[in-house]
Amino acid sequence: MTKDEIIKEIMKCEVDPVYFLFTYVYTQDVETGEIRKFGTFTGKHDKPEYAERIKELIREFDTCRLNNIDLHIDKSRQMYATETFCGFALWCFLFVDNFRTLLTSEKESKIDKKGHPDALLNKIRFMLYHLRPFLQPDRKEIDDNHMTLFYKLKNTAILGEGGDDPGRQGGVNISWADEFAHQPHSSQRFLALREATKNSLMLCSTPKGKNNKFAEIKFNQNSTFKKISLLWNLRRIKEWYDMKKQQYAGDDAGLAQEVDISYEGSIRGKAFSRFVPGMHVRDFNMDTLRQKLKSATVICGIDLGWAHPTCFVFIARIDGVWTVFEEYEVSETPIEVHAENYKKILTRWELKEGQVIRKGDPSGAARSRETGETAYELFRKSGVNIDQADNAVAAGIQLINTLFYKDQLIISSKCARLIDALNAAEFYTNINGEAVSEKYREDWYTDLLDALRYAIISAEKAKPRGPAVTQSSLARGYVRR
């Protein structure tokens, strides 16, 4: 190519990510090692015309970037969505000045791990280092480190972050959450990503039931996310699906979720099986909620701990429905500090001290061997009086499920840790999936859920009307329709 031809090609690539990817980018098949041009669908079970859908997807990514649109993509397995975004992220890296892309996934090793070609950043590195020489930046201009690619000349970066607080550095333009339905603590991660992302937050995943933030957004009709579905038959012929049915024989839920984009799945062993985030999690205007709280009954459930966190869960009866509007979870902190933090919460919500009923962990009545004082007495010294809560475990779990079943319990979307706890909590079960105890497993979520139980069982003493959700029905598990 002549110098003028090279300049023209660079200009074409700069203005059109579809042209750039389909003309100059190569990918590697992680199973066979085969190198092929981007967007090539010539396999035994592929439909070559799927390339046109991938071109549409690239344009969708760019539209979202330019217009600050969030994107929700649910898909069957192996739909080339992740590879497509990796290619688009490379285009932004090379041609959009001062641009930051953030990648997250279920595990850090799926974002970046040496020797793993399927890791997101390794996919991008392969595309970058297999470009024609005239498109490759000077290697001196590239900082290539673990979880980071930085292009000094353009001041662009592709960053990877794991953990429950991605985007800690802030100020990214696009965040890509890969297999988001399978990421733990998805509500907490979502809030962190939302805070860090300036232009477009993109969530992509096969479904994993209804108990996660990915499903909540899917079924929230008021969500501002643009929603796209990529079903297997766009890319594959029927013989591929028949082969998958054989592979998933005996696992109908797995086939439904991984291939058919079904959000229905087994809830065997789930402690709060009636909790459906899409129905029971809502966004509230803080000022409006603060006004309604002025005349509401407010109850604070309190679970005490040291190595385990001390937790507060605030609920109020608003418009005839119990609403969880505040959560607090802090470990290894003196009681006087917890008491001050409790008072700060009251101030933030403009609540009067006498307006709040506090129900606490029964262990708070036990006397310390060192001081001879109870935790309740120490709180009282700091101006916070706590009454002992009813610790009827099975009854509390049943009551919470019944309130969800009757749509009489709502969780604020700001209570991300509690939402994740309700999604994650499971009973101890035997090999048949049958509950062997009346309480959920001891895990990271136990303390917040205990605080919720104390608040709810104190607030709702009357037996619920209509069908109750029994412990045995929770333990058996079923497919929600």
Side-chain angles (χ1 to χ4, degrees):
M1 295 176 67
T2 66
K3 184 176 181 180
D4 287 343
E5 288 173 333
I6 288 174
I7 293 172
K8 288 181 179 178
E9 285 302 299
I10 292 174
M11 292 176 64
K12 286 182 183 179
C13 292
E14 187 174 15
V15 299
D16 188 354
V18 173
Y19 180 80
F20 166 69
L21 290 170
F22 275 81
T23 307
Y24 291 109
V25 171
Y26 288 82
T27 62
Q28 183 179 31
D29 188 298
V30 297
E31 295 180 356
T32 67
E34 178 187 357
I35 297 175
R36 61 184 67 164
K37 288 197 73 172
F38 179 91
T40 300
F41 302 101
T42 56
K44 179 180 178 181
H45 299 110
D46 281 335
K47 296 178 179 179
E49 61 267 27
Y50 186 58
E52 296 305 311
R53 183 66 186 90
I54 292 302
K55 291 178 182 179
E56 292 175 11
L57 186 61
I58 296 166
R59 295 187 183 100
E60 197 74 62
F61 289 156
D62 205 31
T63 297
C64 290
R65 173 184 73 89
L66 293 170
N67 296 283
N68 298 344
I69 299 170
D70 296 325
L71 191 59
H72 179 286
I73 305 172
D74 55 8
K75 64 184 186 66
S76 306
R77 286 177 58 84
Q78 301 173 349
M79 293 303 291
Y80 211 70
T82 298
E83 285 82 355
T84 302
F85 181 79
C86 288
F88 179 74
L90 174 62
W91 178 80
C92 293
F93 181 76
L94 294 174
F95 299 112
V96 183
D97 292 354
N98 306 310
F99 201 82
R100 298 287 191 276
T101 300
L102 175 64
L103 307 173
T104 75
S105 190
E106 182 182 0
K107 299 176 183 177
E108 184 175 307
S109 61
K110 293 187 175 184
I111 306 169
D112 196 8
K113 187 174 182 179
K114 188 175 181 179
H116 284 238
D118 203 30
L120 301 179
L121 272 165
N122 284 339
K123 289 177 183 288
I124 295 171
R125 289 187 180 101
F126 185 91
M127 296 177 187
L128 173 63
Y129 298 136
H130 285 78
L131 288 171
R132 295 277 295 276
F134 70 85
L135 285 171
Q136 282 199 38
D138 187 331
R139 290 293 179 96
K140 295 179 182 179
E141 292 290 331
I142 300 293
D143 287 339
D144 186 346
N145 300 301
H146 179 63
M147 302 290 270
T148 303
L149 279 171
F150 182 68
Y151 186 8
K152 289 179 277 189
L153 180 65
K154 291 282 189 175
N155 189 33
T156 56
I158 302 175
L159 311 169
E161 284 195 34
D164 294 336
D165 190 25
R168 291 179 292 274
Q169 300 177 21
V172 299
N173 298 94
I174 289 181
S175 292
W176 175 265
D178 201 52
E179 288 301 330
F180 187 61
H182 302 262
Q183 293 190 25
H185 308 155
S186 60
S187 293
Q188 182 178 351
R189 291 187 181 204
F190 176 83
L191 288 180
L193 289 169
R194 177 75 290 158
E195 182 69 23
T197 307
K198 295 190 292 187
N199 294 70
S200 178
L201 173 54
M202 301 184 182
L203 312 176
C204 181
S205 189
T206 55
K208 190 183 179 185
K210 293 183 178 178
N211 291 94
N212 51 70
K213 189 67 178 181
F214 188 73
E216 177 191 329
I217 292 170
K218 172 70 175 182
F219 295 107
N220 183 354
Q221 296 181 354
N222 296 319
S223 172
T224 58
F225 276 76
K226 181 167 186 178
K227 297 166 187 175
I228 294 174
S229 291
L230 299 174
L231 187 60
W232 65 270
N233 61 2
L234 292 171
R235 176 179 179 178
R236 308 290 192 177
I237 61 176
K238 187 176 182 300
E239 284 78 2
W240 179 87
Y241 184 73
D242 293 338
M243 181 178 65
K244 287 296 177 183
K245 286 173 68 176
Q246 293 180 1
Q247 292 177 1
Y248 282 92
D251 183 11
D252 292 342
L255 177 70
Q257 293 185 157
E258 294 290 304
V259 181
D260 293 326
I261 319 184
S262 171
Y263 287 79
E264 308 298 340
S266 173
I267 55 171
R268 183 180 294 274
K270 288 287 186 182
F272 298 99
S273 58
R274 293 294 188 177
F275 174 61
V276 181
M279 294 172 58
H280 300 128
V281 175
R282 294 184 189 169
D283 295 323
F284 290 97
N285 178 280
M286 188 169 177
D287 292 332
T288 301
L289 189 55
R290 188 182 288 114
Q291 289 300 314
K292 292 189 175 185
L293 286 173
K294 292 182 181 298
S295 58
T297 299
V298 179
I299 298 175
C300 176
I302 301 171
D303 189 74
L304 303 172
W306 180 257
H308 284 258
T310 288
C311 300
F312 307 150
V313 172
F314 286 79
I315 68 172
R317 190 78 170 171
I318 297 175
D319 298 330
V321 176
W322 287 112
T323 302
V324 179
F325 64 93
E326 182 68 80
E327 66 180 5
Y328 170 87
E329 182 186 33
V330 177
S331 302
E332 299 182 354
T333 301
I335 283 178
E336 56 267 26
V337 176
H338 291 309
E340 288 305 310
N341 289 336
Y342 168 85
K343 293 173 184 176
K344 290 177 182 178
I345 292 172
L346 297 193
T347 300
R348 183 166 67 250
W349 288 103
E350 298 178 6
L351 295 170
K352 299 176 182 178
E353 175 62 30
Q355 186 182 352
V356 183
I357 300 169
R358 290 164 296 280
K359 293 292 184 177
D361 187 341
S363 68
R367 295 194 176 277
S368 167
R369 292 181 180 179
E370 290 77 18
T371 66
E373 293 180 295
T374 70
Y376 291 167
E377 289 170 344
L378 293 173
F379 266 102
R380 193 174 300 120
K381 284 183 177 181
S382 297
V384 178
N385 294 323
I386 302 173
D387 294 325
Q388 183 170 319
D390 185 341
N391 193 28
V393 177
I397 294 172
Q398 177 179 327
L399 179 55
I400 291 170
N401 274 294
T402 300
L403 290 173
F404 281 135
Y405 177 76
K406 298 169 66 178
D407 295 329
Q408 289 293 302
L409 178 57
I410 298 298
I411 315 294
S412 167
S413 60
K414 298 295 185 184
C415 298
R417 286 287 286 178
L418 181 60
I419 294 167
D420 286 334
L422 288 163
N423 283 329
E426 295 180 334
F427 291 117
Y428 290 99
T429 58
N430 60 23
I431 59 174
N432 297 318
E434 300 164 337
V436 294
S437 70
E438 66 178 11
K439 189 178 180 181
Y440 31 78
R441 294 173 179 271
E442 288 290 329
D443 211 320
W444 66 267
Y445 47 70
T446 303
D447 307 285
L448 265 175
L449 294 176
D450 285 349
L452 176 64
R453 275 196 304 109
Y454 301 148
I456 289 295
I457 204 166
S458 300
E460 190 86 358
K461 288 291 187 180
K463 290 184 179 180
R465 299 175 184 175
V469 183
T470 64
Q471 184 85 358
S472 59
S473 68
L474 299 177
R476 284 196 302 271
Y478 56 89
V479 176
R480 195 197 307 278
R481 297 296 179 190

